[in-house]
Structure formats: C-alpha cells, structure tokens
C-alpha cells in the first residue's frame, strides 16, 4: 500500500511538471504508515472529510485511483469531492470541520450507525473553528472523530513559532506526527509556497 500511495503521487508530480495539470496541487508524502493504520478503523460507509492535501485520504477511503486522477487533471487536487464515496474536502483552513459536524449531526438525528472522520492539520487544530466544533461534538455526543496530522508547519511557518507553544492534543483525538516530503504546494520545482 505504501508503494501504491507513493506511486500515485509521483504520477501526479509527473503530469504536473509536464504542464498537464493547470491548477495547484498538494502532494502527500512521509505519512503513509500512520495513515494506513488510521484508515483500518474507517469504514466505507463512513464519511471522510479532508482538506487541500487529500490524495492519500481519497485512495485509502477506497476511491478508484483513475477517478481521483481524472479530477486532479481537471484541476481539482485541492477540492476533491466524491459524494458517492462519502468523501468531501475543502481547501479553506478549517472549512471541512463545520461540514463534518453537520453530517455527524444528521447521522445522529437519523439514528444511523456510520461515523464522520475529519482530517485537520496542526495549524487547523489551533483555530477557533476547531475548538467550538470539538466542544459541540463532545457535548452533543456526535459520531465524529478528529484526526490531527502534525507536520509542525502552516504552509511554511512553523506552527510552534506562530503560537509560541502548541495546544495540547486531547486524549480522544487521533494524532500523528510526520515530516513532509513535498513542499506545501507543488512538486518542489517551479514556484514554491
Ligand atoms: C481561511 C484560509 N486561510 C488561509 C489559507 C492558506 N492556507 C492553506 S493551508 C494553510 C496552512 C494550514 O496548516 P495546517 O493546518 O497545519 O495544514 P498542513 O498543510 O500543514 O497539513 C494555510 C494558511 C486557506 N487555505 N484558508
Ligand atoms: Mg501543518
């Protein structure tokens, strides 16, 4: 699986560098192992809410790579959305969180058994949107899991530097640390940000 994930991103990189993708791309790398483990607890009937860097999340949620690649080539790397596969992403920092909360509320009201899993970066974890949504989800016992992906960076600013000290991760939140293998945006060639 690790090889499959890496191979996919290298294919996207190649297409991007050939000028076949005329929109921003965000590549994943360095977090294969923890993500594969996390997805063992995510069912196909669950909703996955992702962000601007969502290729790995989409593949691991079982969306066919061909369909993902087709969207990326169309320019949708930052906004992959597949309702059929219960997969949503938003490229607005913290934008996916209220959407995830609403879906979880709907699941609870309709007495369904599935869950929502929302992936957030370490800077997104520091936002007010996250904190109020987390409080609401806990107090109303909503079927939602938050997963923090910590690369200690917000684009290229170290999150710890921005806040002097990072917030403590709550015990019921899934969390993993990783060192990114690609820049925030793009492939490392051409423009970098
Ligand atoms: C509302 C909003 N502000 C700023 C941005 C620009 N932006 C995109 S990703 C990002 C950094 C977020 O850092 P983190 O949550 O740690 O995610 P990472 O990319 O490191 O996984 C920023 C500031 C944005 N997309 N949306
Ligand atoms: Mg980060």
């Amino acid at each position: 699986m690790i090889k499959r994930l890496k191979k996919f991103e290298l294919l996207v990189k190649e297409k991007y560098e050939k000028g076949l993708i005329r929109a921003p791309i965000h590549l994943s790398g360095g977090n294969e192992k923890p993500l594969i483990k996390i997805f063992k607890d995510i069912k196909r009937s669950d909703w996955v809410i992702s962000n601007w860097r969502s290729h790995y999340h989409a593949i691991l949620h079982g969306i066919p790579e061909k369909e993902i690649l087709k969207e990326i080539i169309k320019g949708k790397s930052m906004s992959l959305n597949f309702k059929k596969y219960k997969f949503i992403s938003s490229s607005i920092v913290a934008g996916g969180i209220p959407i995830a909360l609403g879906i979880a509320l709907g699941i609870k009201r309709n007495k369904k058994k599935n869950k929502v899993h929302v992936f957030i970066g370490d800077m997104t974890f520091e936002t007010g949107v996250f904190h109020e949504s987390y409080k609401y989800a806990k107090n109303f016992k909503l079927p939602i899991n938050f997963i923090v992906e910590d690369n200690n960076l917000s684009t290229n600013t170290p999150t710890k530097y921005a806040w002097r000290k990072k917030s403590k991760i709550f015990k019921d939140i899934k969390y993993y640390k990783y060192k990114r293998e690609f820049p925030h945006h793009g492939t490392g060639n051409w423009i970098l940000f």
Side-chain angles (χ1 to χ4, degrees):
M1 193 68 212
I2 295 180
K3 272 194 188 154
R4 218 181 105 192
L5 291 170
K6 283 184 174 283
K7 201 174 151 199
F8 183 85
E9 292 300 57
L10 289 177
L11 180 65
V12 177
K13 177 179 187 280
E14 191 189 308
K15 295 212 179 284
Y16 181 78
E17 289 179 350
K18 278 188 184 156
L20 300 171
I21 303 168
R22 303 175 76 83
I25 56 162
H26 288 66
L27 300 173
S28 299
N31 56 345
E32 295 79 7
K33 268 193 186 166
L35 263 192
I36 290 168
K37 199 168 165 237
I38 283 164
F39 270 89
K40 289 209 162 103
D41 296 330
I42 299 178
K43 294 186 180 137
R44 293 284 153 87
S45 55
D46 289 346
W47 283 86
V48 168
I49 315 299
S50 181
N51 53 26
W52 43 91
R53 194 177 304 99
S54 66
H55 304 173
Y56 277 3
H57 301 152
I59 294 171
L60 290 167
H61 197 37
I63 304 170
E65 285 170 37
K66 257 190 175 175
E67 288 185 45
I68 301 170
L69 192 62
K70 204 173 140 201
E71 290 301 302
I72 294 171
I73 290 168
K74 275 199 256 167
K76 306 269 187 184
S77 165
M78 289 178 78
S79 52
L80 289 176
N81 280 280
F82 300 90
K83 195 176 164 197
K84 188 170 110 186
Y85 297 104
K86 297 189 161 62
F87 187 89
I88 291 176
S89 63
S90 167
S91 53
I92 302 296
V93 170
I97 301 174
I99 297 170
L101 202 70
I103 296 174
L105 187 59
I107 289 173
K108 192 177 178 190
R109 284 187 181 164
N110 291 304
K111 300 188 171 44
K112 293 269 169 24
K113 293 264 176 291
N114 54 342
K115 283 185 186 157
V116 182
H117 307 268
V118 53
F119 288 86
I120 61 174
D122 52 307
M123 180 56 101
T124 307
F125 176 74
E126 302 290 353
T127 64
V129 175
F130 165 73
H131 283 269
E132 61 196 75
S133 304
Y134 174 81
K135 185 165 80 177
Y136 190 94
K138 285 295 122 187
N139 293 350
F140 286 92
K141 296 190 171 45
L142 300 187
I144 184 168
N145 283 327
F146 294 94
I147 303 128
V148 178
E149 307 183 287
D150 183 2
N151 55 12
N152 192 34
L153 289 168
S154 170
T155 56
N156 295 317
T157 304
T159 308
K160 210 170 164 180
Y161 175 80
W163 293 98
R164 187 163 289 184
K165 194 174 162 200
K166 292 208 275 190
S167 301
K168 231 178 145 196
I169 303 288
F170 314 122
K171 272 199 182 123
D172 58 351
I173 285 187
K174 285 196 184 175
Y175 169 89
Y176 73 88
K177 254 188 180 166
Y178 76 105
K179 195 168 181 301
R180 73 183 191 195
E181 287 177 353
F182 286 105
H184 177 74
H185 157 269
T187 64
N189 299 317
W190 302 355
I191 46 162
L192 185 76
F193 65 82

